[in-house]
Amino acid sequence: MNATHTPAHKADLAVTHVLAQLLERLEHSAVPVGPEQYRSVVLHLVEQFRDVEYDAELGRLLDAYPAASQLYENLNYQHAGLSRSALDTAVAAELAARKAIEAAMGHAKPDAAHE
């Protein structure tokens, strides 16, 4: 007899919620967190994300827990890119990085205000 893995009910996000909450607490912990503990939580959350479909309830969960949202986005990057990141924030970060790289290379262009 072939055993097949039947994923948990797709609409049940109870475990996903607890893991997302725990990851957020680890991210903001004032006390150093062991890498094994952090990795364990992330791997369990990855497994949960494999068993859920994106819907409004998952969207609200991801909105509430930025660390879990970033993990979810990274897992699904190949399909949706940075679909959960704010475009303005992403563009501003890219422009800032470009300016920093140009300045580090000595190719900084003067700002129009300083000309």
Side-chain angles (χ1 to χ4, degrees), residues 5-17 19-20 44-59 61-62 68 72 75-76:
H5 172 68
T6 305
H9 186 270
K10 300 242 183 230
D12 182 14
L13 293 176
V15 174
T16 308
H17 183 268
L19 289 167
H44 282 89
L45 190 52
V46 166
E47 286 299 317
Q48 288 299 306
F49 284 150
R50 287 187 184 142
D51 290 341
V52 296
E53 291 179 11
Y54 189 87
D55 62 6
E57 187 177 2
L58 179 59
L61 184 145
L62 297 175
Y72 181 85
L75 291 170
N76 293 288

Side-chain angles (χ1 to χ4, degrees), residues 9 13-14 18-19 23-24 30 32 35-36 40 65 76 80-81 91-92 96 100-101:
H9 186 270
L13 293 176
V18 169
L19 289 167
L23 179 60
E24 201 67 31
E36 302 84 18
S40 176
Y65 300 104
N76 293 288
V91 169
I101 291 168

Side-chain angles (χ1 to χ4, degrees), residues 43-99:
L43 291 176
H44 282 89
L45 190 52
V46 166
E47 286 299 317
Q48 288 299 306
F49 284 150
R50 287 187 184 142
D51 290 341
V52 296
E53 291 179 11
Y54 189 87
D55 62 6
E57 187 177 2
L58 179 59
R60 287 189 296 276
L61 184 145
L62 297 175
D63 288 343
Y65 300 104
S69 179
Q70 186 175 21
L71 177 62
Y72 181 85
E73 187 173 65
N74 288 335
L75 291 170
N76 293 288
Y77 181 80
Q78 64 189 7
H79 304 293
L82 299 175
S83 59
R84 296 198 48 82
S85 295
L87 184 57
D88 291 341
T89 304
V91 169
E94 184 176 343
L95 290 174
R98 183 177 298 205
K99 283 183 180 180

Side-chain angles (χ1 to χ4, degrees), residues 21-31 33 37-38 41:
Q21 186 177 38
L22 181 55
L23 179 60
E24 201 67 31
R25 288 176 58 193
L26 293 176
E27 284 280 326
H28 299 288
S29 175
V31 178
V33 177
Q37 180 183 12
Y38 187 89
V41 171

